[in-house]
Amino acid sequence: MARKIKDLKDTNLLGRKRLPIERVVSSEDGAYEEVVPMVKEIETETTEAREELLQKCQAIFTRTDFPVLNRDFHKKFLESPLSHKLPPGMVSLDASGPWMIYWVANGLKVLDESCLARETQRRIYQKLFGISTVGGPFGGGLGQLPHLASTYAAINALAICENVDNCWDSINKDSIYNWLLTLKRKDGGFQTCYKVGEYDTRGVYCAISVASMLGLLTEDLCKNVVQFLVDCQNYEGGFGAVSHEDEAHGGYTFCAVASLAILGALDKVNLDKLADWCSQRQFNGEKGLSGRSNKLVDVCYSFWVGGVASILEAYGYGPCIEKDALRDYILCCCQMTNRPGIRDKPGTNPDFYHTNYGLLGLAITENTFRLDKTVPHAFKITSTIIDQDRASGLTAINPVYGLPNKDLELFYKHFT
Ligand SMILES: [Zn+2]
């Protein structure tokens, strides 16, 4: 087990507070020398884009004093696809039907636990069981092959339907379990689709998350999975898509860490390096989190990386991100004011994906997380609001599953 780091001061831990590396550079004619930061010396499209984004964020911070979440405003954005046809440009998302339903419905539930009406829940399960008439596994849309990502999104979306009309009894556990076994590889990975899908930490998370929620975590299904994930941690401390030194990335890291939490095997990886890597994702100027080294901040990593930080916190490690600063980034820089919704960064437009993960990230910044070890599979990560006066009134969430805690508990109990 890695050493506990909760007693260390933030300044020792937060990678973003390291001194910038500087070099002495001579002018072309050799007439003078100046000391410049390395990053200035090797300017690229990315460093220029980062500089531009930094200016935008700092301009916003100077004119926004007390950021507040405009809940009713964003509710309109998330409700719109439930009552209106989506614009033709979104046809490219045809294979993401269950994802769209999960982002929109979950975003609404996180905004306000009572705002998913019975009629909406009814329409959600009817739509999903229209995609898979046998009750799962689920494809991205009608007539499409079942896929791990769509099945994960469908099960999450069904979990927030509060078993309306006993819809949970229509989920076909046997069919989902047998299908998961056909995707399982000897090395512990899961292919996303039967015979043709790629395999990486995302597939593992989708499979393990679904199996744990439905009470299907058998020895056969879990064999070698922990080793597969352990091998995906690289020298940076984060996790890549596949084993042995693939580039560390926020999404893959979340999938690996959440899966390890579900399997009770977090202590098998280097948690100190992981916490360090999470800290390095947060930038002092923009205050948000990036997904990889030398990339721009983006609000969705408030959940992918913030979720990892919360899981570490629940298991007694951390703090490894500055929640107040991240809250400022989400509320000041990503919350739209001239139209509803949450965008990934200043200069872009809001969408359902970033609105859902921005809200989950905001819930992470306003709570502390603790593990109840009496409940299996990381189900019972309890959260406590840090400052009631400043809190945005969001629903308590479980960072391992990206779902409201209460819904997750009910769903789990139903199937076990
Ligand atoms: Zn994003």
Side-chain angles (χ1 to χ4, degrees):
M1 161 88 76
R3 78 197 151 90
K4 296 259 173 182
I5 52 174
K6 62 182 168 189
D7 299 328
L8 294 180
K9 282 186 180 162
D10 287 3
T11 45
N12 290 337
L13 185 64
L14 297 182
R16 65 184 179 281
K17 288 185 177 165
R18 286 177 191 151
L19 289 174
I21 301 169
E22 294 176 327
R23 278 164 54 104
V24 179
V25 178
S26 304
S27 64
E28 268 178 28
D29 57 5
Y32 65 91
E33 290 183 331
E34 73 176 318
V35 178
V36 295
M38 275 285 268
V39 77
K40 196 82 194 147
E41 192 195 352
I42 43 170
E43 257 174 8
T44 64
E45 257 178 52
T46 311
T47 62
E48 281 166 21
R50 200 234 151 170
E51 190 55 35
E52 207 178 300
L53 178 59
L54 184 61
Q55 307 286 337
K56 282 184 189 160
C57 289
Q58 293 195 332
I60 293 171
F61 290 135
T62 54
R63 60 171 190 261
T64 315
D65 289 338
F66 303 105
V68 176
L69 181 71
N70 194 341
R71 291 166 71 200
D72 291 338
F73 195 45
H74 302 309
K75 215 182 272 181
K76 280 184 206 154
F77 180 65
L78 292 171
E79 279 171 348
S80 61
L82 298 170
S83 50
H84 295 83
K85 275 194 172 173
L86 294 171
M90 291 178 83
V91 74
S92 59
L93 286 167
D94 179 56
S96 303
W99 277 115
M100 299 278 279
I101 295 170
Y102 162 67
W103 295 330
V104 167
N106 193 60
L108 282 168
K109 265 249 161 168
V110 174
L111 264 180
D112 176 353
E113 64 180 359
S114 63
C115 79
L116 204 60
R118 297 307 261 177
E119 193 39 46
T120 307
Q121 292 172 333
R122 214 160 263 141
R123 283 168 57 202
I124 288 173
Y125 83 72
Q126 284 166 354
K127 176 84 184 168
L128 291 170
F129 291 133
I131 289 174
S132 174
T133 50
V134 293
F138 298 84
L142 205 58
Q144 297 175 18
L145 280 178
H147 192 282
L148 268 178
S150 326
T151 300
Y152 162 81
I155 294 297
N156 271 15
L158 288 166
I160 49 180
C161 287
E162 299 171 15
N163 201 16
V164 61
D165 303 338
N166 294 318
C167 66
W168 291 348
D169 293 335
S170 299
I171 297 175
N172 191 335
K173 278 175 61 168
D174 289 345
S175 156
I176 292 175
Y177 179 70
N178 291 329
W179 172 72
L180 287 175
L181 283 180
T182 67
L183 305 177
K184 179 79 194 295
R185 291 164 47 95
K186 277 197 182 123
D187 63 4
F190 285 85
Q191 271 185 291
T192 50
C193 216
Y194 183 56
K195 287 193 175 167
V196 291
E198 71 273 34
Y199 71 97
D200 55 44
T201 50
R202 291 171 305 177
V204 171
Y205 171 63
C206 292
I208 294 299
S209 172
V210 165
S212 65
M213 287 169 70
L214 294 173
L216 301 171
L217 278 184
T218 63
E219 217 171 286
D220 278 352
L221 201 72
C222 298
K223 198 171 174 194
N224 296 333
V225 173
V226 170
Q227 194 55 49
F228 179 90
L229 296 169
V230 168
D231 289 342
C232 293
Q233 188 173 29
N234 81 356
Y235 72 95
E236 291 179 272
F239 290 70
V242 289
S243 61
H244 303 304
E245 301 303 339
D246 196 16
E247 185 186 13
H249 181 282
Y252 297 126
T253 301
F254 171 82
C255 290
V257 172
S259 304
L260 287 166
I262 294 171
L263 297 169
L266 261 184
D267 58 344
K268 299 284 190 292
V269 296
N270 188 330
L271 294 174
D272 277 351
K273 284 203 81 163
L274 174 61
D276 241 348
W277 180 83
C278 281
S279 300
Q280 288 165 34
R281 302 279 59 76
Q282 192 164 25
F283 297 157
N284 225 9
E286 301 93 316
K287 304 189 184 189
L289 299 170
S290 74
R292 283 183 275 167
S293 298
N294 303 317
K295 296 290 276 185
L296 306 181
V297 296
D298 175 338
V299 81
C300 64
Y301 296 111
S302 311
F303 179 71
W304 301 125
V305 177
V308 173
S310 312
I311 295 168
L312 286 174
E313 182 182 292
Y315 281 79
Y317 293 85
C320 47
I321 57 167
E322 285 193 359
K323 292 183 180 178
D324 272 356
L326 179 58
R327 184 175 181 273
D328 284 351
Y329 174 70
I330 300 170
L331 288 177
C332 301
C333 300
C334 302
Q335 169 176 225
M336 301 293 284
T337 49
N338 57 344
R339 56 187 281 195
I342 293 176
R343 60 186 173 186
D344 70 343
K345 59 176 73 61
T348 62
N349 289 321
D351 58 64
F352 305 130
Y353 165 88
H354 286 98
T355 301
N356 177 49
Y357 291 111
L359 291 170
L360 286 169
L362 185 61
I364 281 169
T365 67
E366 297 186 352
N367 287 276
T368 53
F369 295 88
R370 200 174 55 80
L371 186 69
D372 178 349
K373 290 182 180 150
T374 60
V375 186
H377 311 318
F379 274 105
K380 190 74 180 181
I381 289 188
T382 55
S383 61
T384 313
I385 291 175
I386 298 169
D387 181 348
Q388 201 71 45
D389 293 338
R390 265 181 10 140
S392 306
L394 299 178
T395 308
I397 63 139
N398 183 311
V400 175
Y401 293 89
L403 285 170
N405 243 330
K406 216 195 264 178
D407 294 286
L408 182 64
E409 259 175 66
L410 279 178
F411 190 80
Y412 177 68
K413 270 185 196 148
H414 183 87
F415 286 99
T416 48

